[in-house]
Amino acid sequence: MDQDGATRREALQIGAAALTLGAIADSLGAGQAFAVTGDMAGLPWANDAMRWAQVAFTEEDPPRYDPNFWFDLFRKTHVEAVTLSAGGDIAFYPTKVPLHKRARDLGDRDMLGEMIKGARALKMSVICRVDPHAMSEEAYAAHPEWAACTEDGKPRRHWAAADMWVTCQNGGFYFDFMPAVLQEISTHYKPEGFFGNRWAGSGMCWCQTCRTKFRAATGLELPVSNDPQEPRRKAYILWNQQMRAQQFALWNEASKAGNRDGFFSPNGGLNDPNTVIHPIVAVDRQGRSGTTPVWMMGKYAKQVRAYMQNLPVCGLFNVGVEDENRWKDSVQRGPELEAWAHSGIAQGFRPWFCKFNARIFDPRWVAPVSKIFQWHYANDKYMRNTANLAKVAILNSYQSGTFTAGGVAPVAGDGIRAAQRVGDAQNGYYQALVEARIPFEMADDRQMEPAHIDRYRVLVLPDIAALSDTQCRQIRDYVNAGGRIVATGETSLYDELGRKRANFGLADLFGCDYVKTESAIKNSYLTPRPPHALTHGLENAPRVIAASQQLTVKPHDSAPQPLTLVPSYPDLPMERVFPESGQEATNIPAIFCREVGKGRVVYFPSDLDRTFWEVLSEDHLVLLKNAVLWAMDEAQPMTVTGPGLIDMSYWRQKNSLAAHLVNMNNPMMMKGPYREMLPAGPYTVSLAIPAGANVARVKLLESGRVPKTRSAGGRLIVEVPRIRLHEVVAVDIT
Ligand SMILES: [Zn+2]
């Protein structure tokens, strides 16, 4: 963790890790402070708010901003809920809580109250944003023990605001002061709820409070290693989660002071889906930079919907340029804003635009944001999804990210890279399924009961190293009953807390036993052995590059497999670049394709998905795609033919179906933003129509046209001449 606290990207990973730990803490008998908050019946307002706005105030806004600009924009964009800065570090209303510092230029005004009044006049829901990560000089003078400390025990000045201090997430600021602030705001303004930014602290704190509380809870000193298998670090991970659960329970209760249905929703959520469900979760991924693929916003939607199901999940994007440098007052141009927002909308996000600073220095963002939101409003009924029709899901494993690093124990200071290694395998399979045009969802490793996973015919396990005995049994039951899995790498080699097993937990399904793992393997190859469904498309490929991490395994039988290994041989000097005699081709299986019970299993004893993410070899795409198609062994609910790269999804609403196609053909491709939309087409979309539904009318929501359609083999075939960015085939059904 750097001194700046978590960067935005890291914060997201930490948030994801935190999500997991609730379940683990619960299994250890901890974390019982979780309160079950809200249910579907209590949340009609949230379900109705399809479009969201957020205005983050600055201290100089109160006398300078134009509230009517915002009310006009809210009207124009048809937003139904707004998040407004309220308090915590800085108050935007005349607070009476001692040491709650009012904004520098607030004067006698009540900026929060003005904005709430205007939003209420538009019948909007209001969420108050609080930020507890910093405090004023006055608060520090009165309570130096509220400050977070560095490892040497020194209080931390704020890294960007020199007159402020970073707060400790386990001390009085979080546990006494903030509940008083939440109570005051709830009582005076009765917002529907609260949204917490930087709510979980700014990295690890070494203050006396933390040392004392940690010792009291665990008998241990604070850890110095980042290795999650080091006992003090492991204890800290679990203790930290318990502290966040206590904090959440306290804040959630305080949020009800003026509104019994009030709630606190931490940025990114703190959901143990089995005990805590917020009425809404906003996922803060404000923009992309570097090589972030444009589908990433959709991936976050899938990750959160995996446990939120049809409860509202919002994709929070910034109108400004957002990377580690955070140019808060900047503006992105239309194509990139549109591409990022629509990538999330297609996968079920409700759009939420965020503007820092209530004053407008550069209004260029207003037109593209209005366009996105007006389109969303015009097609509102097709955005109210009740079910996703995909039959394939990638399992998202929080515990693997936290407690393993794809089998390589992270060393001190390496925690984030380790988590990224787990994410890379997932991103590899994600990219492959997007390219393969297989509609898919994500499932959550905390909900693997039949009620949650039986709706999928195929579960993809991209190096899901950490699986408990219970989870292994659930997967075994799933396969025996007809489910199908595609697994890679060290899947099931560790338990839920990252302790290595002697053998795979799923060895019986894989058809092999674990021997060893080797990393950074160079110059090794795969030999496709057609004919087989797995080698379809590789008939003319005698050699395919092998993955860089390979597992040695002992097969349970001698059944021939469609892919075998050419072991690594020298890559230098050039004169030595040839395989040992007899090793040009071997019988060592590089894949296990098996029928088990009523189901099917594909297991790659390598990190082929992670290698694909790194190299993007098309041969690997073919293998990863074929594995899912062979496992599935029936038609996908939605298929698309036509040029280029598109992301897709297929949804049901109350009286309609919606097939989304997002044009990802960007000349900048894997690097950088969209500069312009390059329309692509034509496409033919084939849709399975759910039993009992009759097609009444078909239209295209981007072009506004009525497409050519026909039916064939019980499916609806739709011709889409061209996609600008995001076309939706909307099918009214009776
Ligand atoms: Zn502390």
Side-chain angles (χ1 to χ4, degrees):
M1 197 69 54
D2 60 27
Q3 199 55 27
D4 163 340
T7 63
R8 189 156 298 278
R9 188 159 302 126
E10 289 152 15
L12 201 86
Q13 289 172 340
I14 291 161
L19 289 170
T20 305
L21 297 169
I24 294 163
D26 268 357
S27 75
L28 297 178
Q32 296 303 324
F34 277 112
V36 177
T37 61
D39 55 44
M40 289 294 284
L43 310 169
W45 75 269
N47 272 322
D48 286 339
M50 293 294 287
R51 287 160 297 281
W52 291 67
Q54 177 178 349
V55 192
F57 307 156
T58 73
E59 290 197 78
E60 61 162 27
D61 278 337
R64 296 177 183 86
Y65 86 113
D66 173 11
N68 288 320
F69 167 86
W70 291 105
F71 304 141
D72 288 346
L73 184 64
F74 295 163
R75 208 176 288 120
K76 199 161 80 178
T77 51
H78 306 279
V79 291
E80 296 165 317
V82 64
T83 298
L84 300 166
S85 301
D89 51 352
I90 302 286
F92 288 91
Y93 66 98
T95 177
K96 295 193 171 57
V97 175
L99 302 172
H100 193 201
K101 190 175 172 66
R102 298 186 191 189
R104 190 193 74 187
D105 298 343
L106 187 66
D108 297 329
R109 285 181 79 157
D110 178 1
M111 184 172 177
L112 175 64
E114 291 162 14
M115 288 291 288
I116 290 179
K117 194 171 164 206
R120 293 298 192 200
L122 293 169
K123 300 193 165 33
M124 291 167 66
S125 296
V126 172
I127 301 294
C128 285
R129 172 189 176 276
V130 293
D131 184 336
H133 88 276
M135 64 177 167
S136 65
E137 200 73 72
E138 294 88 325
Y140 175 70
H143 288 283
E145 78 283 6
W146 285 358
C149 292
T150 46
E151 199 168 348
D152 55 8
K154 293 213 168 63
R156 283 174 66 185
R157 277 276 181 196
H158 195 275
W159 57 89
D163 63 331
M164 297 182 87
W165 297 82
V166 179
T167 51
C168 164
Q169 63 268 37
N170 297 315
F173 194 86
Y174 274 53
F175 282 80
D176 301 322
F177 172 84
M178 282 303 299
V181 168
L182 291 160
Q183 270 173 23
E184 182 182 65
I185 297 168
S186 177
T187 305
H188 281 278
Y189 299 103
K190 302 187 172 27
E192 275 72 8
F194 288 85
F195 175 67
N197 256 123
R198 302 192 78 102
W199 70 282
S202 303
M204 194 166 157
C205 171
W206 280 269
C207 79
Q208 198 51 52
T209 306
C210 288
R211 289 176 197 275
T212 305
K213 285 189 174 180
F214 184 65
R215 199 182 298 120
T218 66
L220 299 170
E221 297 303 315
L222 289 169
V224 290
S225 160
N226 281 341
D227 177 357
Q229 293 310 311
E230 192 273 320
R232 280 156 63 187
R233 172 58 62 182
K234 188 175 280 187
Y236 180 84
I237 291 170
L238 297 171
W239 174 73
N240 181 50
Q241 178 56 18
Q242 289 169 33
M243 293 303 291
R244 302 288 70 77
Q246 282 177 27
Q247 176 196 341
F248 170 78
L250 198 61
W251 291 24
N252 199 48
E253 196 55 39
S255 301
K256 298 177 188 300
N259 168 13
R260 53 189 287 274
D261 295 327
F263 61 87
F264 175 72
S265 181
N267 187 358
L270 172 86
N271 288 297
D272 176 341
N274 300 306
T275 55
V276 183
I277 292 291
H278 309 302
I280 174 182
V281 165
V283 178
D284 177 353
R285 189 62 200 251
Q286 304 197 15
R288 65 194 183 113
S289 58
T291 54
T292 307
V294 69
W295 50 247
M296 192 60 85
M297 193 60 156
K299 180 182 166 188
Y300 288 127
K302 292 184 189 192
Q303 277 180 317
V304 180
R305 285 194 299 95
Y307 60 84
M308 288 292 278
Q309 310 293 331
N310 286 322
L311 287 173
V313 296
C314 299
L316 193 170
F317 66 95
N318 183 358
V319 303
V321 179
E322 181 76 16
D323 77 350
E324 304 306 346
N325 294 310
R326 292 150 62 94
W327 293 279
K328 292 295 193 195
D329 281 335
S330 63
V331 166
Q332 290 189 65
R333 293 195 181 197
E336 175 61 17
L337 267 180
E338 281 188 71
W340 190 236
H342 278 273
S343 153
I345 291 169
Q347 302 303 338
F349 262 150
R350 300 179 182 201
W352 167 323
F353 75 80
C354 175
K355 173 69 180 71
F356 294 97
N357 202 329
R359 292 167 70 201
I360 307 300
F361 295 119
D362 180 347
R364 285 177 294 164
W365 59 274
V366 175
V369 165
S370 299
K371 182 180 169 191
I372 296 163
F373 278 66
Q374 285 163 2
W375 179 86
H376 196 271
Y377 173 71
N379 299 299
D380 184 276
K381 80 166 190 166
Y382 299 109
M383 303 296 144
R384 294 179 181 270
N385 301 317
T386 56
N388 186 291
L389 301 177
K391 302 295 283 179
V392 174
I394 293 179
L395 187 69
N396 193 36
S397 173
Y398 296 107
Q399 63 202 24
S400 292
T402 306
F403 289 112
T404 76
V408 179
V411 295
D414 198 27
I416 287 159
R417 251 177 45 208
Q420 185 183 333
R421 196 170 155 75
V422 173
D424 284 351
Q426 189 182 72
N427 284 339
Y429 230 120
Y430 198 105
Q431 170 78 19
L433 293 183
V434 170
E435 286 197 55
R437 296 181 181 169
I438 294 171
F440 69 101
E441 284 279 83
M442 295 187 81
D444 190 293
D445 69 347
R446 296 160 300 175
Q447 292 192 314
M448 295 181 60
E449 296 77 19
H452 296 290
I453 61 173
D454 275 3
R455 54 179 282 221
Y456 301 114
R457 188 163 168 90
V458 181
L459 270 186
V460 178
L461 312 175
D463 206 350
I464 305 296
L467 285 169
S468 69
D469 290 345
T470 302
Q471 289 168 321
C472 288
R473 181 177 49 73
Q474 287 165 332
I475 291 171
R476 195 172 291 117
D477 292 347
Y478 169 77
V479 170
N480 280 318
R484 286 99 202 283
I485 60 167
V486 176
T488 67
E490 294 194 322
T491 293
S492 79
L493 190 58
Y494 297 77
D495 73 6
E496 69 276 22
L497 289 175
R499 288 173 293 227
K500 196 170 180 179
R501 295 187 171 105
N503 197 0
F504 301 115
L506 297 175
D508 55 331
L509 298 189
F510 294 169
C512 59
D513 294 324
Y514 177 77
V515 177
K516 66 175 179 179
T517 304
E518 287 174 284
S519 299
I521 294 177
K522 292 180 177 175
N523 210 39
S524 164
Y525 298 87
L526 303 171
T527 311
R529 305 279 188 175
H532 192 283
L534 260 293
T535 57
H536 180 67
L538 294 171
E539 291 80 1
N540 298 321
R543 281 230 172 152
V544 169
I545 60 173
S548 60
Q549 177 169 289
Q550 298 174 11
L551 283 72
T552 303
V553 296
K554 210 168 111 202
H556 292 173
D557 57 45
S558 57
Q561 296 294 342
L563 201 61
T564 55
L565 185 73
V566 179
S568 171
Y569 52 88
D571 64 333
L572 273 177
M574 289 302 172
E575 295 78 1
R576 295 283 167 80
V577 183
F578 57 88
E580 280 177 41
S581 174
Q583 300 274 291
E584 293 89 347
T586 71
N587 290 323
I588 304 168
I591 195 170
F592 291 82
C593 297
R594 309 177 70 236
E595 307 213 13
V596 180
K598 294 178 185 160
R600 289 186 172 190
V601 176
V602 181
Y603 172 60
F604 291 97
S606 67
D607 67 348
L608 199 74
D609 39 12
R610 190 182 291 118
T611 304
F612 177 60
W613 186 235
E614 189 182 325
V615 182
L616 289 177
S617 160
E618 193 174 347
D619 291 342
H620 291 175
L621 167 63
V622 170
L623 286 168
L624 295 170
K625 171 186 174 175
N626 286 349
V628 172
L629 293 179
W630 179 78
M632 178 96 171
D633 193 33
E634 68 175 32
Q636 298 291 337
M638 172 183 181
T639 61
V640 180
T641 53
L645 185 61
I646 54 164
D647 193 17
M648 55 198 254
S649 61
Y650 189 22
W651 295 92
R652 181 163 191 163
Q653 301 84 39
K654 194 164 168 230
N655 297 309
S656 54
L657 302 163
H660 292 247
L661 303 150
V662 183
N663 178 357
M664 295 196 166
N665 297 296
N666 171 21
M668 309 287 279
M669 193 43 194
M670 297 297 284
K671 171 83 178 166
Y674 278 45
R675 293 275 192 259
E676 60 178 324
M677 298 305 171
L678 293 188
Y683 293 97
T684 302
V685 181
S686 165
L687 301 174
I689 301 299
N694 296 305
V695 175
R697 202 167 68 108
V698 184
K699 66 174 175 176
L700 302 177
L701 301 185
E702 184 182 60
S703 70
R705 297 203 176 128
V706 174
K708 278 189 196 142
T709 62
R710 63 193 159 88
S711 64
R715 295 172 75 98
L716 175 69
I717 315 296
V718 184
E719 302 298 337
V720 178
R722 136 191 211 279
I723 304 171
R724 180 185 166 272
L725 170 65
H726 178 193
E727 186 56 280
V728 181
V729 179
V731 183
D732 290 337
I733 52 174
T734 55

